[in-house]
Amino acid sequence: MEKPIHVLHVLGGVGLGGAESRIMDLYRQMNREEIQFDFLVHDLAVRNGFLEVRQDGGTEKKQGKTHGHVRKPQFYDEEIQAMGGHIYVLPKFKVYNYFSYKRAVRDFFAAHREFQVVQGHMTSTAGIYLPIAKKSGVPVVAAHARNAGVVKGLKGLATRFFRRGLAGKADYCFACSALAGQDVFGGEAMNTGRVKIIHNAIDVERFTYDEKVRQEVRAQLGISDGLVLGHVGRFEYQKNHPYLLDVFAAVCRERQDARLLLLGEGVDKPAMEEKCRQLGIADRVRFLGNRRDAQRFYQAMDLFLLPSFFEGLPGVLVEAQAAGLRCIVSDTVTREAQATDLVTYLSIGEPPARWAAEIIKQADYDRRNTAQEMRTAGFDVRTQAQGYRRFYLREQ
């Protein structure tokens, strides 16, 4: 049997994030005798050159000067390696290290000639690493837009600068939504059909509503009764946790039985814990961290909240609908994520009391099995995997 082709996914990391989770959902569906995924990520622990993550979680110096190379294991490390994938690490791009970053990328692709496809999900620097990959002999390079916005300040400005002309530097341009495609590749690329929209798909069966699981998780959390709201996302600017907590505080003024489940980690988590104390809602908010069994917690919720400043096509909103949850989301979130009639869009310019009123209004409803609706809308990863397989094997 021929060796599998190797597809390299370029990301910021392999922690529990939206893009990472969608790629892992896809990876699990691949016949790894045909197609093997490898990962090129970025970390501050690397100064120059690149590293390969060992099976034991350590790192090996592969090229150049890599002093200080102590990389903490990330959420998906173990699973990737168990499926035969390799994880390589580049220095984190900081603008001032532009030349050393380019040198590390060149060294990496000079040392690794096995990749038939490089798929760049980290579009902030794809304009750097994709041309180098192509020049190094990679047959197919693709840029994949996963978000429809950037953070404020100099970092956001730098991202916009280095994304310029990205559509002309890739063989293929993918985007999770039209909004993401427009933001990353620009209007001309969208209008000329240069960008292919591939919605973020999930393993629908894992999230299908299950009343038994709902009762088990609620009992585990000690909240068998009451109104349970939920959110899944990293604690960072994009997800707008301060507004979410203000909304929940407004709900609590009307519903003494209200509880909030927050899944995720991030730099802003301590500040949000402090805000809960200041609002007097700390005893009603559960910070549950990153969970491998997140699908179970969707079952325990009554409504899902997503007041983000911007999104590409949020996989968590797809997951919540697959679990039969009513969802109240920011009107900045693309309508392409609306696979069912369970989604209500509200402005985050509204006072939190407006969101709270809508939550209370929608709290009483019958959950239903939405699996077929999600498949029909194109959000089942099993179907999507067939299209990716044809692409990777160059059958289309």
Side-chain angles (χ1 to χ4, degrees):
M1 180 177 293
E2 293 184 2
K3 293 182 179 180
I5 71 162
H6 281 257
V7 177
L8 182 70
H9 291 277
V10 185
L11 293 153
V14 286
L16 186 60
E20 297 87 343
S21 296
R22 300 293 74 82
I23 295 165
M24 292 303 295
D25 282 340
L26 184 65
Y27 191 10
R28 298 178 192 113
Q29 300 302 317
M30 291 290 117
N31 176 351
R32 292 186 291 280
E33 293 183 354
E34 286 187 325
I35 299 166
Q36 179 58 257
F37 284 4
D38 296 312
F39 296 80
L40 180 61
V41 302
H42 297 72
D43 199 288
L44 285 172
V46 183
R47 297 293 180 266
N48 296 293
F50 64 92
L51 304 176
E52 180 176 353
V53 180
R54 300 194 309 258
Q55 287 282 348
D56 63 5
T59 52
E60 294 179 0
K61 183 169 72 172
K62 303 302 289 187
Q63 193 79 20
K65 298 178 180 178
T66 53
H67 46 277
H69 56 281
V70 178
R71 171 186 175 269
K72 294 181 180 178
Q74 294 188 310
F75 191 85
Y76 286 118
D77 277 18
E78 186 176 339
E79 184 178 4
I80 288 168
Q81 292 170 332
M83 290 195 288
H86 293 87
I87 303 169
Y88 305 98
V89 192
L90 286 173
K92 201 164 189 174
F93 183 68
K94 289 291 186 181
V95 180
Y96 61 77
N97 67 342
Y98 174 79
F99 293 104
S100 62
Y101 178 80
K102 283 188 69 173
R103 184 166 57 250
V105 174
R106 284 197 298 267
D107 289 344
F108 174 79
F109 283 108
H112 290 276
R113 303 284 185 175
E114 68 268 31
F115 303 115
Q116 283 78 42
V117 180
V118 173
Q119 193 166 345
H121 308 272
M122 186 177 172
T123 58
S124 57
T125 55
I128 300 173
Y129 60 76
L130 288 183
I132 293 173
K134 190 69 177 180
K135 188 174 181 180
S136 300
V138 176
V140 176
V141 297
H144 200 141
R146 293 283 186 174
N147 221 330
V150 297
V151 297
K152 291 182 177 180
L154 291 176
K155 184 177 180 180
L157 291 173
T159 296
R160 295 283 188 208
F161 177 82
F162 285 103
R163 275 181 181 168
R164 293 181 312 162
L166 180 57
K169 299 175 181 178
D171 297 320
Y172 294 88
C173 298
F174 301 142
C176 63
S177 68
L179 199 63
Q182 176 77 29
D183 185 78
V184 173
F185 299 114
E188 183 179 352
M190 291 293 294
N191 295 336
T192 58
R194 183 82 174 82
V195 182
K196 181 176 182 180
I197 305 301
I198 305 176
H199 291 154
N200 291 334
I202 66 168
D203 185 348
V204 168
E205 292 182 2
R206 291 180 63 228
F207 293 88
T208 302
Y209 180 60
D210 187 322
E211 177 65 24
K212 180 181 178 183
V213 174
R214 173 182 172 83
Q215 297 304 327
E216 288 175 353
V217 175
R218 282 183 161 234
Q220 172 189 338
L221 294 171
I223 48 175
S224 299
D225 299 318
L227 173 62
V228 180
L229 311 180
H231 172 84
V232 181
R234 297 182 304 277
F235 285 87
E236 59 182 39
Y237 168 78
Q238 175 187 344
K239 302 299 180 180
N240 201 10
H241 283 92
Y243 185 81
L244 172 62
L245 294 179
D246 287 337
V247 168
F248 180 63
V251 172
C252 289
R253 288 193 284 272
E254 302 296 328
R255 291 284 300 260
Q256 296 299 312
D257 62 341
R259 299 292 183 272
L260 176 63
L261 308 182
L262 297 176
L263 279 70
E265 294 288 349
V267 294
D268 290 343
K269 183 179 176 181
M272 294 307 101
E273 291 172 329
E274 176 59 28
K275 184 175 176 70
C276 285
R277 288 189 285 270
Q278 292 175 359
L279 290 172
I281 58 174
D283 60 334
R284 300 190 188 190
V285 181
R286 302 292 181 87
F287 290 83
L288 299 173
N290 288 337
R291 303 292 303 226
R292 294 188 182 276
D293 58 347
Q295 72 278 3
R296 291 175 56 83
F297 290 88
Y298 284 105
Q299 313 301 320
M301 299 172 191
D302 293 307
L303 288 101
F304 181 80
L305 309 180
L306 190 69
S308 301
F309 286 111
F310 58 86
E311 292 282 353
L313 191 147
V316 292
L317 180 55
V318 177
E319 292 171 352
Q321 290 175 86
L325 278 169
R326 284 191 175 177
C327 307
I328 314 293
V329 308
S330 167
D331 62 3
T332 60
V333 174
T334 177
R335 266 60 174 177
E336 292 170 74
Q338 189 175 6
T340 68
D341 62 0
L342 295 170
V343 182
T344 298
Y345 291 89
L346 290 178
S347 171
I348 52 177
E350 296 276 4
R354 172 70 183 89
W355 278 59
E358 189 65 29
I359 290 165
I360 292 168
K361 175 184 172 183
Q362 294 199 28
D364 186 17
Y365 67 102
D366 294 325
R367 291 279 278 275
R368 69 176 191 264
N369 186 320
T370 60
Q372 190 53 52
E373 293 175 71
M374 302 302 294
R375 295 189 185 99
T376 301
F379 288 103
D380 187 4
V381 73
R382 287 173 173 79
T383 301
Q384 192 179 92
Q386 296 170 13
Y388 270 113
R389 176 186 177 275
R390 292 190 294 271
F391 172 70
Y392 293 142
L393 296 176
R394 312 307 302 140
E395 293 179 356
Q396 61 177 24

